[in-house]
Amino acid sequence: MDAEEVNRPWDGLAVCVAGLGVSGRAAARVLAGRGARVTVVDARDGDEQRAHAAELEARGVTVRLGDGESLPAGTELVVTSPGWRPDVPLLAAAAAAGIEIIGEVELAWRLRPGGPGERPGAAPWLAITGTDGKTTVVRMLACMLTAAGHDALAVGNVGTPIVEAVAEPYDVLAVELSSYQLHWSSSLAPEAAVVLNVAPDHLDWHGSMDAYVGAKGKIYARCGVAVYNADDDTSAALAEGAGRRVGFTLRMPRPGELGVVEDLLVDRAFTDDPASRAEELAALADVRPYAPHNVANALAAAALARAFGVPPEAVREGLRSFVPDPHRIQHVADIAGVAYVNDSKATQPHAAAASLAAYESVVWIAGGLLKGLDVDDLVRSCAGRLRGAVLMGRDRRRIAEALARHAPDVPVVDVSDTDTGAMERVVNEASALARPGDTVLLAPVGASFDMFANYPARGDAFIAAVERLAGTAGSGDVQ
């Protein structure tokens, strides 16, 4: 990438937008509005795609359905949707021809008022990436910024498409970034950025762990303040070399870090005298739902907020006003002394480990598509917490084998059903294993697509099954 590419005019530019999803449609609309000659391509050709195509064609966009492989003639720039792998034929052809490929996040950065770099009118970005916790942190951060009186918006993988948000007069944007989006970015310069944690994920897309880690690390390349997880070696290593580094930790913080002292979240980075003074930000009780990994999320959000000048009282108020998204350690009900918790979003081992670590005695509901990820370390680490396990989904036998190796005394129930009533049978089996004081925890460790449309659908099925169980039991506090 050179300065000419970043500063190129949009009027008349021949742009191919790869993908007719939410981000692709938003990119096409914005580019067409800037005068670009836009062609959107997508291999799908169903009723939904045709409806979207009609809307874009009314704006002067060319849409080609049923062929997502060939590069339109005359293309000068490709804007790819995040799910498209670099080795798909269209992107490979563009790369071979020397045509620049960017993602919608890079496009948004270049479309900001005033153009590339820090210019008047461009809202600063506070950027978040990591294997787990991104959406929670970006929403916590937005609450803190709002509590401080800023007109702020959470964008990226959530809410308003980022290419549309940058055109609005916000004070600041809290930006969630995936490894896919960072792979296709080259000039982002957020005011502050964080890598929350790094564990194996999306290796089928990136090709290797090194490539995945490298994509995450791009968030620090031009940032002002590099916030890192002092309890995660990879996050800390990626931040090395950044201009200003600020850590967060679940232990007592050192100077230059945010951390925990007794029951308080404290700041020893953005105070007048970090060497001898810590500033109280919030209480552990202000973090909802409470779990160690969610405390880490709160500290990361607080560090980004403090880097932007948010005062301690706004950090506290932001945490108190934060409403957690569903399917993330979501307490569903208490039935006969047993808690039922939905963490359907825990779709890989790192997330499931954090979820399991939050509870002392667990009946674990797990299964789904493991995407080639190993679960031995996960099972080994949580074996002492398991009252039992109920397994479902395509890769349940791999989890059962790991349990047999590392937790041979834990009772395991295999549910082979895949019909719409499968989750009810799973919950009933888990209930039979549980004892008062236990937690029945849906932390699947696998993706949902073998049995459900997505992880929210899986979580909704769990909630419905728990509600039916509560009705059958004739008691229970359903949230």
Side-chain angles (χ1 to χ4, degrees), residues 83-435:
W84 286 48
R85 289 168 43 146
D87 59 357
V88 300
L90 185 148
L91 300 184
I99 297 169
E100 188 186 16
I101 306 168
I102 64 174
E104 89 281 13
V105 170
E106 176 69 19
L107 175 65
W109 182 260
R110 299 183 188 185
L111 288 170
R112 297 175 312 138
E118 291 301 323
R119 306 286 177 81
W125 289 17
L126 304 176
I128 299 108
T129 195
T131 302
D132 298 309
K134 296 183 293 295
T135 300
T136 296
V137 172
V138 79
R139 293 197 187 282
M140 283 181 171
L141 175 59
C143 288
M144 294 173 187
L145 294 166
T146 300
H150 295 295
D151 187 6
L153 185 69
V155 294
N157 279 338
V158 295
T160 303
I162 192 168
V163 292
E164 296 176 348
V166 293
E168 301 300 324
Y170 293 104
D171 297 335
V172 57
L173 296 177
V175 184
E176 176 184 347
L177 297 175
S178 71
S179 58
Y180 307 153
Q181 292 167 320
L182 285 164
H183 175 89
W184 296 116
S185 299
S186 55
S187 67
L188 307 186
E191 183 156 320
V194 64
V195 177
L196 300 171
N197 45 63
V198 181
D201 200 14
H202 304 306
L203 302 190
D204 53 342
W205 195 96
H206 289 280
S208 70
M209 186 64 184
D210 285 346
Y212 174 64
V213 172
K216 291 294 189 187
K218 290 177 74 174
I219 201 170
Y220 289 139
R222 296 169 183 81
C223 75
V225 178
V227 176
Y228 66 94
N229 185 346
D231 301 329
D232 184 292
D233 291 343
T234 304
S235 173
L238 288 172
E240 290 179 1
R244 182 179 183 188
R245 300 168 70 242
V246 172
F248 65 93
T249 176
L250 292 177
R251 53 174 169 73
M252 184 178 295
R254 297 172 295 189
E257 294 180 342
L258 282 70
V260 178
V261 176
E262 297 180 348
D263 62 347
L264 299 176
L265 277 61
V266 301
D267 175 4
R268 292 190 69 188
F270 299 98
T271 66
D272 294 336
D273 185 9
S276 61
R277 180 171 173 266
E279 189 152 18
E280 178 183 337
L281 298 176
L284 288 176
D286 295 323
V287 180
R288 297 177 299 112
Y290 176 80
H293 65 286
N294 214 34
V295 174
N297 290 337
L299 288 165
L304 291 171
R306 295 287 282 156
F308 193 66
V310 170
E313 57 271 20
V315 171
R316 180 171 56 252
E317 181 56 35
L319 285 175
R320 290 175 176 174
S321 65
F322 168 69
V323 178
D325 282 354
H327 314 297
R328 292 165 170 83
I329 51 174
Q330 176 187 7
H331 185 267
V332 177
D334 291 303
I335 304 172
V338 175
Y340 290 77
V341 175
N342 165 29
D343 199 8
S344 184
K345 183 64 172 66
T347 57
Q348 38 82 7
H350 185 263
S355 186
L356 286 158
Y359 305 99
E360 291 297 324
S361 181
V362 177
V363 177
W364 181 27
I365 297 175
L369 297 174
L370 294 181
K371 300 177 290 185
L373 297 175
D374 181 78
V375 294
D376 280 272
D377 287 345
L378 165 65
V379 172
R380 189 183 297 111
S381 68
C382 73
R385 299 176 181 271
L386 297 180
R387 170 81 68 185
V390 181
L391 306 181
M392 63 189 299
R394 185 179 301 174
D395 289 337
R396 66 188 185 279
R397 288 187 178 85
R398 287 186 52 202
I399 302 172
E401 290 165 359
L403 285 163
R405 285 190 292 271
H406 306 297
D409 296 330
V410 172
V412 176
V413 178
D414 182 292
V415 176
S416 60
D417 308 47
T418 58
D419 59 25
T420 55
M423 186 62 82
E424 185 165 358
R425 286 184 279 277
V426 166
V427 168
N428 288 339
E429 293 286 0
S431 174
L433 290 172
R435 299 292 179 267

